[in-house]
């Protein structure tokens, strides 16, 4: 028995009438016409999507490639992570020192601090940062 005959045997007469009623609607006929006209494009799209799926499936199951990508990402992320940990550690240590220090910083203390190259670099950075924010605000 062919597939069409099998489907007809399974469908009740009422269901066949519903399908025929649907097919008689002008918008359904128009949609079917558009589908038939675009069949070559649809076949090409399905072929491309199948190739893309096969490629992704192959890449996702390639353990060597996955391990190489992981190692590459680790090499990229590791220096950033170490630098972030160093900055966080310095911030924690500075906070501890600032809490432990009880002396008052006076005018001469500030003048002395202004000679420190790190302070100068930080002030130049802060000034440039504020200038950029001001320019963007305008």
């Amino acid at each position: 028995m062919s597939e069409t005959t099998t489907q007809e045997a399974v469908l009740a007469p009422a269901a066949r009438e519903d399908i025929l009623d649907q097919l008689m609607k002008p918008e359904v006929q128009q949609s079917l016409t558009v589908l038939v006209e675009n069949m070559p494009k649809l076949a090409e799209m399905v072929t491309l999507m199948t190739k893309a799926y096969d490629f992704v499936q192959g890449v996702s199951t390639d353990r060597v490639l996955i391990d190489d990508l992981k190692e590459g990402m680790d090499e990229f992320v590791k220096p950033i992570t170490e630098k972030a940990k160093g900055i966080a550690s310095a911030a924690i240590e500075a906070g501890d020192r600032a809490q432990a220090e009880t002396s008052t910083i006076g005018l001469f203390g500030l003048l002395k601090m202004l000679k420190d190259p790190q302070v100068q670099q930080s002030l130049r950075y802060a000034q440039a940062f504020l200038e950029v924010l001001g320019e963007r605000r305008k």
Side-chain angles (χ1 to χ4, degrees), residues 5-120:
T5 310
T6 306
Q7 289 176 350
E8 287 176 1
V10 171
L11 290 175
R16 272 188 248 142
E17 288 177 18
D18 287 342
I19 291 173
L20 290 175
D21 289 340
Q22 289 290 324
L23 289 174
M24 295 305 292
K25 292 182 180 178
E27 60 271 8
V28 172
Q29 290 178 359
Q30 184 180 7
S31 298
L32 288 172
T33 303
V34 170
L35 282 172
V36 169
E37 289 172 356
N38 289 306
M39 198 63 74
K41 291 179 186 176
L42 291 171
E44 186 179 342
M45 286 175 52
V46 168
T47 302
L48 289 173
M49 289 187 333
T50 302
K51 287 179 182 178
Y53 174 81
D54 291 342
F55 173 76
V56 170
Q57 190 69 20
V59 167
S60 67
T61 57
D62 187 353
R63 296 303 312 163
V64 174
L65 179 63
I66 292 171
D67 290 341
D68 287 347
L69 286 173
K70 184 179 177 236
E71 288 176 20
M73 290 300 291
D74 286 344
E75 288 177 16
F76 177 75
V77 171
K78 187 176 180 181
I80 296 170
T81 304
E82 289 174 358
K83 190 166 191 164
K85 286 180 182 178
I87 291 171
S89 171
I92 291 170
E93 186 178 341
D96 292 343
R97 285 187 189 182
Q99 285 182 346
E101 186 66 38
T102 58
S103 65
T104 304
I105 300 175
L107 180 60
F108 292 113
L110 281 174
L111 291 174
K112 183 179 176 185
M113 284 173 53
L114 286 174
K115 292 181 182 180
D116 185 354
Q118 283 296 113
V119 172
Q120 285 294 315

